[in-house]
Amino acid sequence: MGTSFLFTKGELNVSQRPNVLLILNDDMGYSDIGCYGGEVSTPNLDRLAANGLRFSQFYNTARCSPTRASLLTGLHPHQTGVGILVDDDGPEGYAGNLNQRGVTIAEVLKAQDYHTYMSGKWHVATDIFNPNDTWPRQRGFDRYYGIITGAADYYQPVTLTRDNDNAEHEALADDFYLTDAISDDAVRNIRDHAAANPDQPFFHYVAYTAPHWPLHAPEEDIAKYKGRFDEGWDVLREKRLKRLVEQGLLDPSLALSERDPSQPAWEDADVKEWRLRRMEVYAAQIDRMDQGIGRILQALENTGQLDNTLILFLADNGGCAEELDEPFTSFLKKRRSLLERAKDGSPIVYGNNPRELPGSQRTYQSYGVAWANLSNTPFRLYKHWIHEGGISTPLIAHWPAGIGEQGGIRHSPGQLTDIMATVLEVTGAPYPQTYQGRDILPFEGESLAPLFKAESDDRGRGPLFWEHEGNSAVRTGPWKLVRNYPEAWELYDIEADRTELNDLAADYPDKVRELSGLYEQWAARAGVVPREKILEIYSKARGEDISGGAHFIQK
């Protein structure tokens, strides 16, 4: 049961294959949790950070489904069939289904006698109601409990599924709350595994929906945040940046990006009670998730599995600036199964209505642009975009048996494709060239495991690439070339100017040509289709006009 990947911590020799616990949360910004400068109380995540490592420059893909597909497979999203979301948006790469060209971490580890579990949001299948080969049980997981769709009512989610069976009846209980249900299922799996399979390792993927809209949270958690955000987004953005610098995550020379130009100064904002309540509920959603993570950690401790479990925590994209206005809610009603009434029989009011304070099931709101701007402090833009606010995520790594340093910070850049590479290295699992008789694409990432021992300034990390809805970027060394579709390329020295305030494209045209050439080569290899072509296909198929950049977002 040994592996060639051995670490030492004092006298401890890590010769047994570790468990792997991968925790992903949904639509949370870079600086929301306590150990990344935020006001939200996250003692359990803070504990993992204090006894493990934090990464300051780790990146996702700026959107829910593409991130999940990339995280699970080690491929770029377009290679997996999830180039945009789970709608069929055209050619291969945009089918909205996790395809057969790759393998999931669960499939790789299951072949190496790992037991595999998943609790939470799947969101990489077009058909969310009928079991098929893109569902968790068919992609390597021994057990599954969660939602197949994306956003869902926290008190009564549609597509709640146990293995391949509909489990929506379980949500009819008065005390059902999705975040708790996800945590409780993970705890149960950990305990059951220790009892039944004490000599075999496990892989567990815990995918929270928190804090994705709708803004639903228990009142006792919301009450904890009364007054926490009363200073408003302008002051809090400045304070967050100061804490990020004090914690060593960001350089003191980094300048804070401007408040989103579409938003008022806090002192000029209206309906402050409603605006504050939105952020208070959002914070409560993260808080409740952290409480559940605490129960998961306790289960690992109680079963003697914590020391040799590699825990990785990250978010699927930056803070979400989506405003649930009438066009967006009409879109949701057309594309998803939404409830008409809450459990108590009262009608559910959809949309960001200042006359309705969010939190209960009878509301369905988001926290909006200004608070998302706070969540992504100190960066620009949001989910959907490839500027730093859209793709920067916390990444916490905790593994007492394998990571000797406590409270360390790693500034080496990385991205989602590196998770598969890391898991392969620490578990000793070989990556297959073929799987179930079909050829498999090679994974794209580079292992983070060397960084578990020490920071490496000469790691030689290859270029990082992104594309989502035409928004694109390539980063190599200190340079990042990025564009907000359909605008021109921008160039930044990301080491000196990570908040992307000083566009150097006009000063370094040769660098723009060099990096855009790298991007075009990657895009052709990864199956990226020009945005204009996708919009043409989408419009013809649905008779809808979605021209421009990201869907339904205020630019």
Side-chain angles (χ1 to χ4, degrees):
M1 301 253 318
T3 172
S4 60
F5 185 70
L6 301 180
F7 278 119
T8 58
K9 178 186 176 186
E11 298 301 318
L12 180 60
N13 184 24
V14 183
S15 58
Q16 295 297 310
R17 295 182 299 172
N19 305 313
V20 179
L21 174 62
L22 179 58
I23 305 175
L24 182 72
N25 83 335
D26 199 352
D27 280 17
M28 188 189 77
Y30 181 79
S31 61
D32 280 320
I33 60 178
C35 55
Y36 276 78
E39 302 83 15
V40 183
S41 177
T42 52
N44 295 294
L45 288 173
D46 297 351
R47 168 191 169 192
L48 293 177
N51 293 287
L53 301 174
R54 283 171 293 170
F55 289 73
S56 68
Q57 296 190 72
F58 199 77
Y59 295 110
N60 49 47
T61 68
R63 191 79 176 277
C64 311
S65 298
T67 280
R68 290 157 206 281
S70 184
L71 181 71
L72 283 166
T73 63
L75 302 175
H76 293 290
H78 315 79
Q79 296 172 302
T80 74
V82 189
I84 298 178
L85 209 57
V86 292
D87 297 314
D88 184 353
D89 291 313
E92 187 174 11
Y94 296 83
N97 266 329
L98 191 64
N99 63 29
Q100 303 291 322
R101 300 176 69 202
V103 287
T104 68
I105 297 173
E107 287 171 323
V108 173
L109 294 185
K110 189 172 182 178
Q112 300 300 311
D113 297 323
Y114 270 71
H115 287 254
T116 56
Y117 310 98
M118 181 179 171
S119 308
K121 172 177 168 176
W122 185 238
H123 205 208
V124 287
T126 299
D127 188 341
I128 61 176
F129 297 108
N130 301 295
N132 57 74
D133 62 6
T134 63
W135 280 33
R137 283 298 304 275
Q138 286 71 27
R139 297 310 302 262
F141 289 97
D142 295 323
R143 289 186 186 176
Y144 172 69
Y145 176 75
I147 60 170
I148 303 298
T149 189
D153 184 320
Y154 283 75
Y155 299 105
Q156 198 174 350
V158 296
T159 76
L160 187 65
T161 301
R162 190 172 293 280
D163 295 328
N164 281 321
D165 299 323
N166 184 281
E168 291 178 9
H169 63 280
E170 297 182 20
L172 296 177
D174 289 341
D175 62 349
F176 182 91
Y177 184 67
L178 182 56
T179 303
D180 290 345
I182 292 170
S183 301
D184 292 345
D185 186 70
V187 167
R188 183 164 45 249
N189 288 336
I190 289 166
R191 290 175 176 166
D192 288 353
H193 178 89
N197 307 286
D199 296 324
Q200 287 182 282
F202 69 77
F203 167 63
H204 202 318
Y205 174 36
V206 180
Y208 287 101
T209 59
H212 195 296
W213 47 259
L215 294 172
H216 286 165
E219 196 61 41
E220 64 267 25
D221 292 323
I222 301 171
K224 292 162 60 175
Y225 291 93
K226 190 68 175 175
R228 187 77 60 94
F229 303 101
D230 284 6
E231 291 177 294
W233 44 69
D234 294 315
V235 171
L236 293 176
R237 290 183 76 232
E238 294 175 357
K239 288 188 173 182
R240 281 197 186 189
L241 176 55
K242 182 180 179 181
R243 287 193 293 268
L244 285 162
V245 170
E246 291 171 347
Q247 291 175 2
L249 288 160
L250 297 179
D251 191 273
S253 65
L254 191 68
L256 180 66
S257 63
E258 294 182 358
R259 179 195 333 111
D260 189 298
S262 72
Q263 300 302 298
W266 175 251
E267 63 184 17
D268 297 328
D270 60 0
V271 289
K272 281 190 169 65
E273 179 187 9
W274 174 69
R275 292 183 187 275
L276 287 168
R277 174 76 174 195
R278 295 164 84 189
M279 189 62 193
E280 289 160 5
V281 179
Y282 173 87
Q285 291 175 305
I286 298 173
D287 188 307
R288 194 74 170 202
M289 175 197 69
D290 186 80
Q291 294 174 45
I293 291 172
R295 295 200 301 277
I296 294 171
L297 297 180
Q298 190 63 55
L300 289 171
E301 284 186 301
N302 291 346
T303 55
Q305 299 178 95
L306 181 63
D307 280 356
N308 201 27
T309 297
L310 170 61
I311 302 173
L312 298 170
F313 170 85
L314 69 163
D316 66 349
N317 44 248
C320 174
E322 292 164 349
E323 293 281 5
L324 298 192
D325 55 15
E326 180 55 38
F328 201 174
T329 52
S330 295
F331 167 80
L332 292 174
K333 290 176 181 178
K334 191 189 312 185
R335 300 297 171 87
R336 307 172 191 271
S337 295
L338 297 181
L339 303 173
E340 297 252 345
R341 293 186 176 274
K343 291 179 187 177
D344 65 4
S346 59
I348 297 174
V349 180
Y350 286 92
N352 291 342
N353 183 348
R355 294 186 297 275
E356 299 283 346
L357 295 181
S360 73
Q361 190 189 9
R362 64 182 183 83
T363 65
Y364 201 99
Q365 301 188 19
S366 67
Y367 77 154
V369 176
W371 292 124
N373 199 189
L374 171 65
S375 289
N376 295 336
T377 301
F379 306 125
R380 290 173 52 202
L381 295 177
Y382 316 97
K383 170 185 176 180
H384 294 264
W385 282 275
I386 310 301
H387 286 72
E388 294 291 289
I391 60 175
S392 297
T393 173
L395 174 63
I396 301 170
H398 181 276
W399 182 18
I403 298 176
E405 184 177 356
Q406 296 186 344
I409 295 175
R410 299 292 183 262
H411 298 293
S412 295
Q415 66 180 152
L416 291 169
T417 54
D418 298 345
I419 299 297
M420 169 71 86
T422 304
V423 171
L424 293 176
E425 182 166 353
V426 302
T427 62
Y431 186 85
Q433 292 183 327
T434 62
Y435 185 77
Q436 296 183 346
R438 64 182 186 271
D439 292 336
I440 297 299
L441 293 173
F443 66 87
E444 296 276 344
E446 300 181 21
S447 176
L448 303 172
L451 297 173
F452 292 170
K453 296 181 180 179
E455 180 71 279
S456 175
D457 294 331
D458 58 353
R459 184 173 171 233
R461 182 65 170 85
L464 306 175
F465 297 99
W466 299 265
E467 191 278 340
H468 185 69
E469 297 179 317
N471 302 323
S472 312
V474 54
R475 176 176 171 177
T476 179
W479 295 105
K480 180 182 176 186
L481 188 72
V482 60
R483 69 180 171 204
N484 178 359
Y485 179 86
E487 297 170 12
W489 286 111
E490 304 163 17
L491 179 68
Y492 299 99
D493 178 347
I494 210 70
E495 291 183 356
D497 179 27
R498 193 174 167 198
T499 43
E500 299 167 310
L501 303 180
N502 184 22
D503 180 8
L504 300 174
D507 298 328
Y508 296 93
D510 291 344
K511 182 59 68 174
V512 172
R513 280 191 291 271
E514 174 194 343
L515 295 185
S516 62
L518 287 177
Y519 172 83
E520 294 300 337
Q521 292 173 19
W522 168 80
R525 181 176 65 79
V528 176
V529 178
R531 181 63 175 166
E532 294 81 4
K533 182 66 174 177
I534 294 298
L535 290 172
E536 178 185 342
I537 293 170
Y538 196 102
S539 297
K540 286 181 179 178
R542 291 169 171 78
E544 297 174 357
D545 179 14
I546 58 167
S547 59
H551 301 307
F552 306 106
I553 308 298
Q554 295 183 7
K555 287 204 164 187

